[in-house]
Amino acid sequence: MKYRSRVTAAGVAMATLALAGCGGAGGTGNSGDSAKIAMQTGSDRTKALTAGAKKEKHLLWYTTMIPDQLVEPLVKAFEAKYPYIKVDYYRGNSTDVAQKTVQEYKSRRYKVDLVDGTGTSSLLKEAGVLQPFKSPQLADYPADLKASDGYWGTELQYFMALAYNTKSVKPSEAPKTYEDLLDPRWKGKMAWSTSDTSGGPLFLGNLIDAWGKTKADAYIHKLAGQKIANLDSSGRAVIDQVVSGQQPIALEVFNDQVEVSKAKGAPVDWVPLNPVTAQLSRISLVKQPPHPNAAMLFLDFMFSEAGQKIIQAGGGIPGKPGVDAEVPKLKPEKGGFKAQYMDPDTTFKQTTQWSEIYKQNFVG
């Protein structure tokens, strides 16, 4: 199950409303039993989960992670620890995962157990497709990296930064602050993605959230005069243009992706602009999972040091405190930068507003 479909956020929203209008998931299923399993605590918890998982023998995970770097190593390690559980997965982006899950629940087909992604949890929580859970492995995660109501935990982090071509821009002259971006020397020499959930819109949303609308509006008005190039492409493609020298500077790109290119000898480096936009990939338990015991064991594994070190080895930025990224400076505690953790549900709801501000100031 390693295919993906192409859908739009609007399509997910329409399906979400349709599902909510039908009264949520409804139908038959084991939602009552799974709720007890998801919220159980105590010294015999793992023993009970293990006994249940041996009967279930299976687990289905809808994920946004890169298969060869992260998904398959995690599955291999989990199956080695629990050889009686077979893990299958489907891979897509956050919208794909949410759309697929919503469509299945509308058809009363309860196949998936776990879902993840940056926006997936917000979409599916609104649709009534998720349920809260408790994992002892989340005890040492800070409040920013787990839901106060138990609907998700963070398995991966992403930090957005400024990237620059080291042949075009001297390290000593590269912008170090948001104010530095207003220097006339950078007019027409910067670019970002037009993506609603990253690039320009997210850059502006981060400042609005950090500074307040009045200060952010004044800054945005000045920044608009810098003629930033709008690239209708992914953040990775924007970095590639910096690597090739087509763009001297890129804004709001993933710092770990810059490090990957840098490690391969590309003339590129990154600078954190404080506060740095922090994005979270969150994993959640669906409302009617067919394999709730196996799902809870997988969640425990994902949040544990062992699971997080697999993410580290695959080049991801682990969520767990104390587990560094493979390049330690990618995380704020070792990189010396301040991360702005915006509430994911609030971010989801404000994306449209931020996109409008972006279009009004930087498009056309």
Side-chain angles (χ1 to χ4, degrees):
M1 300 182 69
K2 304 174 187 179
Y3 58 91
R4 64 180 295 174
S5 60
R6 295 193 65 81
V7 295
T8 64
V12 175
M14 290 177 67
T16 296
L17 291 172
L19 182 59
C22 291
T28 60
N30 62 350
S31 58
D33 291 341
S34 71
K36 294 178 183 178
I37 293 168
M39 301 300 286
Q40 65 184 313
T41 57
S43 59
D44 61 345
R45 174 181 175 275
T46 301
K47 181 179 180 180
L49 292 177
T50 300
K54 285 181 177 179
K55 297 177 182 178
E56 294 166 353
K57 301 180 181 180
H58 191 249
L59 172 67
L60 181 56
W61 173 28
Y62 291 175
T63 181
T64 61
M65 294 187 194
I66 299 171
D68 59 345
Q69 289 181 231
L70 297 173
V71 179
E72 291 169 6
L74 284 164
V75 168
K76 182 179 179 180
F78 180 78
E79 290 180 343
K81 184 173 183 179
Y82 302 102
Y84 43 84
I85 303 174
K86 176 68 171 69
V87 181
D88 287 321
Y89 68 90
Y90 157 89
R91 197 267 175 167
N93 62 32
S94 290
T95 307
D96 295 334
V97 169
Q99 177 79 57
K100 182 173 174 60
T101 306
V102 167
Q103 288 176 341
E104 289 175 356
Y105 266 64
K106 284 182 68 179
S107 301
R108 302 183 189 279
R109 291 181 290 123
Y110 309 115
K111 301 193 302 181
V112 65
D113 298 290
L114 299 167
V115 294
D116 71 48
T118 53
T120 308
S121 294
S122 297
L123 283 162
L124 295 183
K125 181 182 177 184
E126 187 170 323
V129 172
L130 302 182
Q131 66 173 306
F133 64 86
K134 289 184 178 180
S135 171
Q137 295 294 338
L138 285 174
D140 61 347
Y141 281 56
D144 287 328
L145 301 185
K146 58 187 176 184
S148 60
D149 55 10
Y151 277 90
W152 53 266
T154 299
E155 80 278 16
L156 269 170
Q157 300 185 77
Y158 304 104
F159 299 105
M160 314 304 285
L162 176 150
Y164 65 96
N165 183 292
T166 55
K167 293 182 178 180
S168 303
V169 180
K170 295 179 181 179
S172 61
E173 296 179 351
K176 306 296 191 301
T177 68
Y178 288 105
E179 286 298 322
D180 288 347
L181 301 182
L182 303 180
D183 190 315
R185 76 167 78 177
W186 306 126
K187 186 173 182 177
K189 296 182 179 180
M190 298 183 286
W192 54 20
S193 170
T194 60
S195 169
D196 285 347
T197 55
S198 62
L202 188 62
F203 179 98
L204 304 183
N206 180 55
L207 295 185
I208 292 168
D209 194 69
W211 294 351
K213 198 165 186 310
T214 300
K215 179 179 177 180
D217 280 349
Y219 176 83
I220 290 168
H221 177 73
K222 295 177 183 177
L223 187 65
Q226 291 294 77
K227 305 300 179 183
I228 301 172
N230 297 306
L231 304 182
D232 187 17
S233 57
S234 67
R236 174 67 257 181
V238 176
I239 294 172
D240 290 340
Q241 288 210 16
V242 174
V243 169
S244 67
Q246 293 174 267
Q247 300 289 343
I249 293 174
L251 304 178
E252 206 73 355
V253 294
F254 297 100
N255 66 352
D256 59 318
Q257 293 183 358
V258 178
E259 279 292 336
V260 169
S261 295
K262 182 180 173 183
K264 293 178 180 179
V268 65
D269 209 342
W270 62 277
V271 176
L273 302 179
N274 289 317
V276 168
T277 307
Q279 291 203 82
L280 307 177
S281 178
R282 302 168 288 156
I283 188 166
S284 297
L285 179 69
V286 299
K287 195 170 187 177
Q288 301 203 48
H291 315 101
N293 291 282
M296 289 308 304
L297 288 177
F298 192 84
L299 287 171
D300 288 350
F301 177 74
M302 180 73 83
F303 300 133
S304 72
E305 183 173 348
Q308 291 288 292
K309 284 191 171 180
I310 291 172
I311 288 175
Q312 175 195 65
I317 302 178
K320 186 177 177 65
V323 180
D324 290 334
E326 196 169 33
V327 178
K329 70 176 183 178
L330 290 171
K331 293 184 78 170
E333 51 266 35
K334 293 292 179 70
F337 59 87
K338 178 182 177 182
Q340 170 79 3
Y341 289 96
M342 295 182 283
D343 176 72
D345 291 335
T346 301
T347 299
F348 167 68
K349 293 175 182 178
Q350 292 182 337
T351 296
T352 300
Q353 177 186 346
W354 296 342
S355 293
E356 285 304 312
I357 294 172
Y358 164 73
K359 290 173 184 175
Q360 291 170 9
N361 287 276
F362 297 94
V363 179

